[in-house]
Amino acid sequence: MTEILLNIDRLSVQFRTGDAYKTVVSGVSLAIAKGETLALVGESGSGKSVTAQSILRLLPEHSARYTDGAVYFEGRDLLRLEERDLRPIRGARISMIFQEPMTSLSPLHSIEKQLAEALFLHNGTARKNARPTVLKWLHRVGLRNPEQRLDALPHELSGGERQRVMIAMALINEPDLLIADEPTTALDVTIQAQVLKLIQDLQQELNMAVLFITHDLAIVRQLADRVAIMQSGEVVETGPTREVFKQPKHEYTRRLLDAEPRGEPEPVPDDAPTILSADQMRVWFPMTRGVFKRVYNHVKAVDDISLSIRAGETLGIVGESGSGKTTLGRALLRLIGSRGDIWFNEEGEQRFNLNALDHKAMRPLRRRLQIIFQDPYGSLSPRMSVSQIIAEGLRVHTSMNADELDREVVRAMEAVQLDPATRHRYPGEFSGGQRQRVAIARALILDPKLLILDEPTSALDRSVQKDIIDLLRRLQRERRLSYLFVSHDLSVVRALSHRVMIMKAGKMVESGDAKAVFEAPKTEYTRQLMAAIPTL
């Protein structure tokens, strides 16, 4: 009989809201055996992260309470252990990878110090003796040039690199149970495949159990032995992964399985004019040293890139972290400086070379060129109401009065299927998908011709991703919008893009019709990307 390592028995958790308590997890029972991977799946707000954090009592004591149940680890109830007895288990016997690495890593300490601290706290390893182990784990999680990054602070790393450091920190003590809370959300498909393979290898090597929290069902199918589906704080279905995928019993499970991005965009007419084109664009960042900051080299973030986008067309830009895809998008909008020609043609009107315009001449064109950022929370001011956020562009570019602005806000919210009655609320009162719709409405209200979408769905659940993709397709069809879609999620790119450009280290390695690139890639790098996509 398989030995049970962790047993969650009828766990219930409440959060304080004002003077009352609200139940967020209700009667959850789960068991994880040694060497087993259990995937916990559900949309945002389903209670999966609260359940995971309850295992190590990481929830804030002033606002959370465990009203019922127990969490047994090797027969001991972790919910009732003294803090001094729980401390040796946290980070050593049971380790956790958090979803957002920027808030989980100390901004004041180097990555070497933070990884060495984990060794010191649990094994007594001095920092001077910890470096070989630190380097070994940074290599194993795929951090590029770790010997040169030991002194780096978290803000000096990309999102994907920070997540790799978090994974190394969680695994460095070789725990018995790894709790992985959306550990691959910010990673490229190739690094994601490496990390998943690493977790599988370590699991076999250490007979380690894994509780894997995710909204990506393709990863679940690839990694998990069993799966538990959560909705509204309850486990609605559990069982062997193959069985649940083949014959889901609960309606919610069937809805999740049907939410994978599918389909393709409508064809672009042959006579569609070119809206934006760029010729030999360069964005080189100088590298300096010495007291006088002499330039000794350059980081070639974008190196001789040429592209074009037609009216009603989507160009997908794909590449790993550091490939230059986000830098390219921002340079096209003149948000950062670049060299080369950027031509904007507003369908038969005057043609402009954006890089030849000064700030004053550029300003009227900005309403036609809009951008939607990756983080739907960080890009919206928490001090402004949704109405104020959406109308901000119109206040800058027009002289509309308050009533006119309000009518335009209502129209924009209806276009993205948000209830206009909620326009006086603040971003914190909306879900991630609703906040991303607010960001889209803010861009649409200016009637743009081109939208640059920088990873707009990476932070969203699969079901919400599907809704946003359907929304973007509809808006493109109705308004003849052009999109530059930047993403590392190839399933989303395939569902939305007419053409695809693959970038690596600032250069274009392949481009062409999306279907042709996905089905018959010409370069080895593109083939590696395609092979790394987990599929349902």
Side-chain angles (χ1 to χ4, degrees):
M1 185 176 179
T2 306
E3 184 179 353
I4 298 298
L5 180 67
L6 183 85
N7 184 25
I8 302 174
D9 183 28
R10 295 169 297 171
L11 175 68
S12 293
V13 182
Q14 291 183 338
F15 279 161
R16 184 197 298 271
T17 55
D19 295 330
Y21 279 88
K22 178 183 178 182
T23 300
V24 292
V25 169
S26 179
V28 168
S29 294
L30 296 169
I32 308 174
K34 287 187 176 181
E36 180 186 44
T37 297
L38 173 67
L40 193 56
V41 179
E43 296 177 297
S44 296
S46 62
K48 55 188 189 296
S49 291
V50 172
T51 300
Q53 291 185 37
S54 298
I55 294 171
L56 290 174
R57 298 213 321 250
L58 298 178
L59 300 175
E61 294 183 359
H62 66 277
S63 60
R65 66 182 185 184
Y66 308 99
T67 56
D68 195 13
V71 178
Y72 295 106
F73 178 68
E74 295 183 333
R76 304 168 74 190
D77 185 359
L78 300 182
L79 297 184
R80 287 160 182 82
L81 282 185
E82 294 290 334
E83 186 68 25
R84 66 176 180 272
D85 297 322
L86 184 60
R87 196 174 296 123
I89 296 175
R90 288 188 185 131
R93 304 291 310 284
I94 303 176
S95 196
M96 188 162 185
I97 304 168
F98 296 94
Q99 181 174 2
E100 179 42 66
M102 195 59 185
T103 56
S104 305
L105 296 170
S106 169
L108 303 177
H109 300 297
S110 69
I111 62 172
E112 180 183 17
K113 184 174 182 180
Q114 295 188 59
L115 267 71
E117 182 182 31
L119 288 171
F120 171 74
L121 289 175
H122 296 289
N123 298 324
T125 306
R127 183 183 176 187
K128 62 181 180 180
N129 300 324
R131 179 167 289 188
T133 306
V134 168
L135 283 172
K136 179 185 81 170
W137 281 98
L138 290 178
H139 274 293
R140 293 194 73 176
V141 298
L143 188 73
R144 285 179 292 184
N145 303 318
E147 291 84 0
Q148 301 172 24
R149 315 295 286 279
L150 290 174
D151 292 329
L153 297 173
H155 75 271
E156 297 177 286
L157 306 178
S158 70
E161 289 171 333
R162 288 193 293 266
Q163 190 64 292
R164 283 167 239 176
V165 171
M166 274 296 303
I167 293 168
M169 189 181 301
L171 296 177
I172 201 166
N173 284 304
E174 301 183 359
D176 298 304
L177 171 64
L178 175 67
I179 303 171
D181 189 357
E182 301 274 10
T184 60
T185 298
L187 302 182
D188 315 312
V189 288
T190 51
I191 300 301
Q192 173 180 280
Q194 291 174 21
V195 169
L196 295 177
K197 178 68 164 57
L198 171 64
I199 292 174
Q200 288 175 313
D201 290 345
L202 283 168
Q203 185 175 31
Q204 295 175 4
E205 179 185 329
L206 307 173
N207 198 30
M208 179 177 67
V210 178
L211 177 61
F212 198 94
I213 301 167
T214 184
H215 62 257
D216 193 329
L217 294 175
I219 292 178
V220 172
R221 181 164 220 165
Q222 175 181 331
L223 189 71
D225 301 303
R226 291 189 303 117
V227 60
I229 310 294
M230 285 195 73
Q231 182 187 26
S232 302
E234 298 181 358
V235 174
V236 298
E237 185 167 356
T238 185
T241 303
R242 182 177 296 180
E243 183 180 308
V244 171
F245 274 62
K246 189 175 182 179
Q247 292 182 319
K249 297 175 182 177
H250 197 276
E251 175 59 31
Y252 179 70
T253 308
R254 289 193 286 271
R255 183 156 62 87
L256 284 180
L257 288 169
D258 192 47
E260 289 296 300
R262 292 185 177 92
E264 54 189 36
E266 292 188 3
V268 180
D270 293 336
D271 61 348
T274 297
I275 289 291
L276 187 82
S277 62
D279 185 35
Q280 293 184 308
M281 277 190 66
R282 287 186 177 185
V283 181
W284 290 10
F285 297 111
M287 300 170 67
T288 61
R289 61 186 172 195
V291 176
F292 299 103
K293 301 295 182 183
R294 290 192 175 93
V295 176
Y296 68 94
N297 206 340
H298 289 84
V299 175
K300 298 179 180 180
V302 175
D303 196 18
D304 288 332
I305 296 290
S306 298
L307 58 84
S308 65
I309 306 173
R310 295 185 294 164
E313 182 180 48
T314 300
L315 174 63
I317 306 292
V318 177
E320 298 175 301
S321 295
S323 63
K325 55 188 187 295
T326 294
T327 302
L328 173 63
R330 297 189 179 197
L332 287 170
L333 294 190
R334 286 273 308 274
L335 298 179
I336 57 176
S338 66
R339 292 189 176 184
D341 295 326
I342 306 171
W343 295 99
F344 174 63
N345 179 14
E346 197 173 353
E347 296 195 53
E349 298 183 16
Q350 186 177 354
R351 191 166 180 246
F352 301 93
N353 185 351
L354 302 186
N355 262 350
L357 301 179
D358 60 22
H359 178 75
K360 184 177 181 180
M362 183 69 196
R363 184 171 178 177
L365 298 177
R366 291 207 176 275
R367 66 180 301 176
R368 301 302 186 201
L369 302 163
Q370 290 289 302
I371 186 168
I372 296 169
F373 297 99
Q374 177 176 357
D375 182 359
Y377 192 78
S379 61
L380 304 177
S381 171
R383 294 183 176 89
M384 296 171 66
S385 69
V386 162
S387 177
Q388 292 171 324
I389 289 169
I390 295 174
E392 187 177 16
L394 286 179
R395 286 195 295 270
V396 171
H397 290 283
T398 71
S399 56
M400 291 183 180
N401 60 37
D403 290 338
E404 290 171 329
L405 288 173
D406 191 58
R407 282 195 296 271
E408 291 299 321
V409 168
V410 169
R411 190 176 295 118
M413 292 185 72
E414 288 174 343
V416 299
Q417 298 168 331
L418 281 174
D419 184 1
T422 64
R423 64 189 184 277
H424 300 301
R425 297 180 185 175
Y426 290 82
E429 300 175 74
F430 291 82
S431 70
Q434 289 173 322
R435 288 195 291 265
Q436 197 61 287
R437 288 173 187 266
V438 170
I440 295 172
R442 176 174 60 180
L444 289 179
I445 202 169
L446 292 169
D447 191 25
K449 296 300 179 184
L450 173 70
L451 274 182
I452 293 182
L453 301 134
D454 187 5
E455 301 272 14
T457 61
S458 65
L460 306 178
D461 300 319
R462 277 301 195 193
S463 57
V464 181
Q465 282 186 7
K466 184 176 182 292
D467 292 340
I468 295 296
I469 291 169
D470 291 341
L471 170 65
L472 292 172
R473 281 180 182 152
R474 178 176 63 79
L475 292 171
Q476 186 172 58
R477 182 175 63 251
E478 294 173 356
R479 301 186 178 216
R480 210 184 181 193
L481 279 169
S482 300
Y483 298 142
L484 182 78
F485 193 88
V486 175
S487 182
H488 67 259
D489 190 331
L490 297 183
S491 61
V492 175
V493 172
R494 185 169 194 168
L496 200 60
S497 300
H498 298 90
R499 291 187 299 115
V500 172
M501 176 190 294
I502 310 295
M503 290 186 66
K504 181 181 181 182
K507 288 189 173 291
M508 179 185 72
V509 298
E510 186 169 349
S511 70
D513 177 77
K515 188 174 183 180
V517 171
F518 276 91
E519 294 181 358
K522 296 177 181 178
T523 68
E524 180 58 31
Y525 177 69
T526 309
R527 284 191 285 270
Q528 290 173 5
L529 286 180
M530 302 306 165
I533 307 174
T535 58
L536 278 173

